[in-house]
Amino acid sequence: MHVWRSLAEIPDLGPAVVTLGNFDGVHRGHQAVLGAMVADARARAQVALAMTFDPHPKAVHDPAHPPELLTGIDDRLERLAAIGLDGVLVVRYTLDFARQTPEEFVRDYLVRGMRASCVVVGRDTRFGRGNAGDVETMRGLGDRLGFDVDIIDDACAVSESGRRWSSTWVRELVEEGDLRGAADVLGREHRVRGVVIHGDKLGRTIGFPTANLDHTAGMIPRHGVYAAWLTVIDPGDNARAAAIAQVRLPAAVSLGMNYTVGGTDLRIEAYVIDAEGLDLYGAEVALDLVAWRRPMLDFGSVEALVVGLEEDVAWCREALAIRP
């Protein structure tokens, strides 16, 4: 999938079926809608393109209250590529960009920039200065500027339970620590990313060396201990991390404050199960969280903490269905 950061980067790919949105999480609703759009583009012998925004528009219009995003832009693009899109334009969202009238936006970006022959939108789509544009505006512009408008059928974005797939639903589940429920809505595990940094190295002295993450992307879930899969996404200059890049490793993850040793800051620590001498410093890793084990606890002593960690690892083995 091609990724463009400006209109000038987009080559002439011919007429295109185009959609736009934030696509936070790229959940099963997004997948259903975008999958249908890709199929329509193939039937037309055209390319399927999407426009998304970085940063999120709400973070620009209300910087004091930015939304907590489920996914960073890299994971969003990876998941959009998996659906089969031919290209994504990542628009740097600014107040200047937001000042465009609906017609200016559609003409310059969708028609001239992306060569839209068909624009796919939801019934609640709003666009242009002050969100003045809606579905009827888009239809009128389509008549004038020469493109079709396809209104998304909400039925394809509704779950088996009858609730509409949504990023809001995923956030609720992640906040509750219901990672299995979140995975059902997302179609995959919820992911948190971070760069491995040096910690206080307590773990290695008690037999549980951990990778300490400096959080870079992915919504922080309910604090506690999780069973997870750790994957090296970008090893950086770490040759040892490069040797295991893209390999999913089973892990027990502690996410929160380490009360037993007087911790007061958020820590994300991953103990890779059955791995000895692992060196991940400087690498960016992803934690795909599978299941919540327990809240963060004050065990009262390091000795009691070790017993608790042993029980956590045994539970994570079972949750991840791995053998010793």
Side-chain angles (χ1 to χ4, degrees):
M1 183 185 78
H2 301 285
V3 177
W4 307 294
R5 303 282 174 169
S6 71
L7 291 177
E9 297 176 10
I10 304 177
D12 185 357
L13 299 174
V17 178
V18 177
T19 192
L20 62 153
N22 293 306
F23 308 118
D24 186 28
V26 195
H27 53 66
R28 288 173 64 183
H30 293 138
Q31 294 166 39
V33 169
L34 293 172
M37 172 193 153
V38 169
D40 180 49
R42 299 291 178 266
R44 293 168 175 254
Q46 297 179 4
V47 292
L49 307 180
M51 176 192 297
T52 192
F53 308 98
D54 188 40
H56 192 286
K58 288 183 180 178
V60 174
H61 290 288
D62 187 7
H65 304 93
E68 188 168 17
L69 300 181
L70 294 168
T71 50
I73 187 63
D74 292 332
D75 285 317
R76 198 188 324 168
L77 292 172
E78 179 182 313
R79 293 167 184 178
L80 290 173
I83 296 171
L85 289 169
D86 298 295
V88 174
L89 172 64
V90 181
V91 173
R92 181 174 175 271
Y93 195 91
T94 65
L95 291 177
D96 283 341
F97 175 83
R99 291 189 184 101
Q100 296 176 98
T101 65
E103 181 171 352
E104 288 171 338
F105 166 68
V106 171
R107 182 193 64 222
D108 295 344
Y109 278 81
L110 303 185
V111 177
R112 293 178 180 172
M114 303 178 79
R115 296 199 61 190
S117 68
C118 177
V119 176
V120 179
V121 293
R123 295 189 182 280
D124 58 354
T125 294
R126 310 289 300 198
F127 59 97
R129 184 188 305 156
N131 280 334
D134 58 13
V135 168
E136 293 309 314
T137 309
M138 188 69 79
R139 282 180 168 147
L141 291 169
D143 291 340
R144 289 172 49 199
L145 300 175
F147 60 85
D148 299 330
V149 177
D150 185 6
I151 307 301
I152 295 169
D153 181 1
D154 282 346
C156 69
V158 175
S159 72
E160 293 86 346
S161 69
R163 180 170 180 176
R164 192 173 185 272
W165 304 115
S166 70
S167 302
T168 298
W169 188 6
V170 180
R171 290 190 190 94
E172 291 173 3
L173 293 167
V174 169
E175 287 176 351
E176 294 167 2
D178 185 357
L179 273 295
R180 295 193 190 278
D184 183 55
V185 181
L186 287 169
R188 72 190 71 78
E189 296 99 349
H190 175 60
R191 171 172 285 189
V192 173
R193 283 195 188 215
V195 175
V196 178
I197 59 175
H198 290 276
D200 53 25
K201 298 181 172 57
L202 171 64
R204 69 175 58 182
T205 67
I206 60 175
F208 292 94
T210 60
N212 294 266
L213 273 63
D214 183 11
H215 178 245
T216 57
M219 179 179 170
I220 296 295
R222 177 185 182 185
H223 291 186
V225 172
Y226 291 86
W229 296 100
L230 181 149
T231 307
V232 175
I233 301 297
D234 181 358
D237 297 328
N238 187 330
R240 297 179 69 180
I244 56 171
Q246 305 306 322
V247 177
R248 277 169 49 108
L249 304 171
V253 173
S254 171
L255 193 154
M257 285 69 157
N258 192 337
Y259 299 119
T260 302
V261 294
T264 57
D265 298 324
L266 173 69
R267 293 285 190 93
I268 305 176
E269 301 178 79
Y271 169 70
V272 180
I273 300 171
D274 297 332
E276 296 183 3
L278 202 60
D279 176 3
L280 299 176
Y281 292 119
E284 183 179 23
V285 304
L287 298 176
D288 294 316
L289 304 175
V290 175
W292 186 80
R293 152 78 168 155
R294 62 166 175 82
M296 301 299 289
L297 301 172
D298 185 348
F299 286 92
S301 69
V302 172
E303 292 76 18
L305 172 62
V306 170
V307 173
L309 293 178
E310 290 173 345
E311 293 174 352
D312 290 338
V313 171
W315 184 90
C316 289
R317 284 186 186 280
E318 184 175 344
L320 299 172
I322 60 171
R323 297 185 178 185

